[in-house]
Amino acid sequence: MNTVQTQSNNLTLSKLIELFEIDNHEYVLPEASRMASLQFLAAGAFPTTRVEKWKHTSLKPLVENQYSLPTNLSKNYSDIKSVDFGTGLVHKLVFINGIYQKQLSNIVIGEQLIVDELSAKSAPQNWENQSTSDSVFIHLNIAFANDGIYVEAPANAALKYPVYIIQMIDNEELNPVIHLRNKIVAKKGSSIKIIHQVHSTGNMPALCNIYTEISTEPNAHLEYNVVQFDLQNVSLVSNLNLQQSRDSKLETNTISLSGKLIRNEVVANLNQANAEVQLRGIYMPRNNEHTDNTLQIKHNAPNCQSNQLYKGIIDNVASSTFLGQIYVDREGQKTNAYQSNKNILLTDTCRSYSKPQLEIYADDVKCTHGSTSGQMDKDMLFYLQTRGIGFENARRLMLIAFLSDILQAITIEPLAQWVVNEIHNRLDS
Amino acid sequence: MLTIKNLKASVEGKEILKGINLEIKPGEIHAIMGPNGSGKSTLASVLAGRDTYEVTEGEVEFMGKNLLDMEPEIRSREGLFLAFQYPIEIPGVSMTNFIKAAYTEHRKHKGLPQLSPAEFLKLMKEKKELVEIKAEWSGRSVNEGFSGGEKKKNEIFQMAMLDPALAILDETDSGLDIDALKVVANGVNKLRTANNAFLVITHYQRLLDYIIPDVVHVLYNGRIVLSGTKDLALELEEKGYDWIKKENVH
């Protein structure tokens, strides 16, 4: 009845798919996978808040806008906002509106690193289809991803320089819809550090749908840092799929500084014994922004360890969601699984939802979870003030202190410094 | 230095301070004693600027200025220091960053040039020695995991760094063993000059064996009911607070 009419201006899944009918891009995934996903999408719709996994994250900011296919802009993009490495070396891989920019990218010579632009021709056999997924966004990505990067640390390579993936959204004059796919592999005994940056330069609406798969082979060590910022009018949906072999260690630090709608969904699979995953995140939504971190940790093998540590500072009328599921399979004996989510609410009008979920089928496991949401500690503020530290300065000191254990986990020094500076700037504004 | 006139303060509508009058001059040490719940800590909190207490009447002049008009940080920079009865733990803020932030603000307020990192470290080392603080404290978070004695020593260290005109010690002796008590008292005595003053709030006479007061006041039911010399403290120790209570029945 009336509701049908009011919804008619909203973006529907079928309208979004129609856009791609006139597209002549080459897609990354094999045709068979794409067709299966298109079939799923034909019968699907964007999830509403009636769907359990989306209960506290409304897609309203996403569907109340229209998008168009990105066109290649002939602009000079030499001055892209990014972490300053000074004289330090870094492998830089730049994407603008989902398309790899070779002339802006740079691979340090002499490092044992394999980097390949993705296309239907290059190594499609490396791709997991995820065709069993029930996620509209994963299927959209399978169907329409037309670029991405493959990064591999070869066996026993200890990479000296970080890999810096910059994914810039130019929404100054157009409202792009972007699908990007990345795959990162740490082969046996290798170690590698990654930075994945997503930011936008304009104020037009944009929709960005990223799928990243990371696998660590036995004894590999991988650090994956995500920084999301300046996304004031962007709906960003990011799906991260982790696959870990025995004795491997994977650490993720997800820093969401600002975004109209950010959904970071992580599925971590601990597939073999003694694998360890550390998942950390900072989110700081303000104004009417919303940040969502939805995690599922699957302990599929014995003696694995997982640790989730997420902290949020919520301002104005912004909101956040944290859903953390720990699943321990019957095989997952001697599991150690921890989860902690802490939120500081700066105003009376902001909101934060936090929900732990444990599903345990093994009998010899250690699982703990904790969640707190509250205001800044008035006693601490007063103590600092009585020492002559002004209110604003005291507040900043305390908020940085609140985030300090996560900030200290970022081992790429220029990145850590950059994040601290960005947070300082944010708290000053 | 400090003149309190008819100070009344309440919390959630309940009057705690019912008209305090007190004058402290440079070079003096005043002690405030009194039974539990008499308003001793409230007085300390109100002077430091805690906003949970509402000042309903009275005036406080500090170094010629209206203290009650100032934010807590301004009171500090103007030379008022409160050593907390229960120092607050601040995880994630290192002792060095904390004291540096405070010291920097104080210098700025006084229009003094900032110290070089080397000069600052030297000053910190000197003041730490005063209260026998171990070197490894600097890297630790403020008061986090400190023992009761370490927390109180840390308060005196901060006092030494900020060099206040008036220091209020709120039950600094509570929870201290005799050795720590001596260290703390010794620190205070070394910091004493003809130009600064101390207001020592305590429940027991014990601390006053080491920090000798010029004036002792007895606070009861929100008012100073008796003032005298250090002998008054001894008398209280001997007779307890009951006779004060009996004489001040309303």
Side-chain angles (χ1 to χ4, degrees), chain A residues 63-125:
Chain A
V63 298
E64 70 188 7
N65 286 302
Q66 304 297 323
Y67 308 97
S68 58
L69 294 180
T71 47
N72 228 342
L73 300 155
S74 48
K75 281 194 196 169
N76 180 9
Y77 286 112
S78 56
D79 194 21
I80 295 174
K81 185 174 174 183
S82 57
V83 177
D84 184 8
F85 276 83
T87 52
L89 296 173
V90 61
H91 305 283
K92 204 178 239 186
L93 308 165
V94 179
F95 290 80
I96 292 171
N97 287 350
I99 304 298
Y100 185 58
Q101 309 291 316
K102 201 172 179 183
Q103 76 287 359
L104 298 173
S105 304
N106 175 47
I107 312 287
V108 183
I109 300 161
E111 276 255 271
Q112 265 190 293
L113 175 75
I114 297 169
V115 174
D116 240 332
E117 190 184 347
L118 283 178
S119 70
K121 286 164 220 132
S122 76
Q125 69 277 13

Side-chain angles (χ1 to χ4, degrees), chain A residues 244-263:
Chain A
Q244 290 188 249
S245 299
R246 67 168 175 81
D247 301 304
S248 68
K249 183 173 179 183
L250 211 161
E251 296 177 77
T252 69
N253 301 305
T254 303
I255 317 295
S256 308
L257 294 173
S258 86
K260 177 136 188 136
L261 168 67
I262 297 179
R263 162 89 161 193

Side-chain angles (χ1 to χ4, degrees), chain B residues 177-189:
Chain B
D177 62 37
I178 195 70
D179 293 331
L181 185 76
K182 280 183 189 162
V183 171
V184 164
N186 199 17
V188 170
N189 289 329

